[in-house]
Amino acid sequence: MTTPLPPRRTGRRATAPYVAVPREPADPARTGRRWVRRRARGMTADAVAAALDVARFDARQNSRFEDLAGDERGPAELGEWERIAQLLADALPGTVYDPDTDDVVRAELAADAAAAAAREAELREAMRIAARADELQALRELGTLDQAEPREGDEAVRDELTRRAGGYIQADVDAWFARALAVHRGHYRDPAAREAAAGLLTPLVLAHAALLAELAPLDPDAGVDQLAFAARLATVEPEATAALAALLTRAHPRAH
């Protein structure tokens, strides 16, 4: 009986992509207001008035200490007691405070829910970008990046790859974008996507793409290596490259 070989180990350890998780910022004033609402639940107008007197006394005492001059929670608590006191003063006699029926609290909770949903969406997008960046990086290492079809949102992935490279522009990634734009590959088949890319990609990439779009029909058999000079032109003089592409467009008008 043959003993099975153990799984092959590689020198590269798989790591989860780094994703900055957006967190709700600390807000002492909001914490103070919420504390007051919990305390005030079920209180009558008289009870709230008594609590307000205590809060005003505490505020006067705290004003004597310099280290409390920048305190945000204390003034917020005082302001909330004042607001609730006025709310009960305007209500029917015998009314007790209920934060569940407080319009201000309801509006705040709705805003919090919307903010939480936005943070969740931001996290999902960050994870998508990180995963797609890993995918494109793997294709680069295999030398098969040109076989990948561009997808919606890849412009943000380009920024992530640049960030991972310490801010250095990745020439092969930019060339991939330029070729995809020039021949309308992937989601760039959609004119709206190409129009949006004009505001998301650098002038260098856009100039390179514009020149490739004009040169390719002049020599359909020209390969990537034969048109590599277009990338060098765009790198050195993106404005001049864009002007050359515009000149060729006027000289040889065609459907874009």
Side-chain angles (χ1 to χ4, degrees), residues 140 157-171 174 202 204:
R140 293 174 70 192
V157 177
R158 174 192 179 275
D159 296 339
E160 171 63 12
L161 289 170
T162 302
R163 184 195 67 79
R164 293 182 181 185
Y168 290 100
I169 295 174
Q170 307 299 289
D174 279 0
T202 64
L204 186 156

Side-chain angles (χ1 to χ4, degrees), residues 74-224:
E77 290 181 3
L78 175 58
E80 190 66 359
W81 281 120
E82 291 173 340
R83 187 187 70 82
I84 294 174
Q86 185 61 52
L87 187 68
L88 292 179
D90 295 338
L92 294 174
T95 301
V96 297
Y97 178 70
D98 183 0
D100 296 338
T101 61
D102 188 334
D103 289 341
V104 171
V105 175
R106 287 179 171 180
E108 185 178 293
L109 290 175
D112 289 345
R119 288 193 298 272
E120 180 65 23
E122 182 181 347
L123 175 59
R124 288 196 300 269
E125 177 63 5
M127 294 177 66
R128 183 198 67 80
I129 290 172
R132 177 64 167 165
D134 287 344
E135 179 183 347
L136 294 185
Q137 181 60 40
L139 293 175
R140 293 174 70 192
E141 294 173 0
L142 293 172
T144 58
L145 179 60
D146 273 337
Q147 299 176 17
E149 290 279 309
R151 301 175 188 170
E152 182 178 356
D154 274 353
E155 295 86 3
V157 177
R158 174 192 179 275
D159 296 339
E160 171 63 12
L161 289 170
T162 302
R163 184 195 67 79
R164 293 182 181 185
Y168 290 100
I169 295 174
Q170 307 299 289
D172 58 336
V173 174
D174 279 0
W176 176 67
F177 272 106
R179 289 191 289 270
L181 272 172
V183 300
H184 303 174
R185 287 186 62 194
H187 81 295
Y188 289 133
R189 296 186 187 95
D190 183 358
R194 298 196 298 274
E195 182 178 353
L200 299 172
L201 295 172
T202 64
L204 186 156
V205 176
L206 298 174
H208 184 190
L211 185 56
L212 284 179
E214 298 305 323
L215 292 176
L218 300 179
D219 186 358
D221 296 328
V224 172

Side-chain angles (χ1 to χ4, degrees), residues 33-48:
R33 288 191 294 269
R34 289 178 174 176
W35 178 84
V36 169
R37 293 163 191 167
R38 290 194 297 271
R39 288 286 307 277
R41 182 186 289 274
M43 283 187 175
T44 62
D46 290 342
V48 170

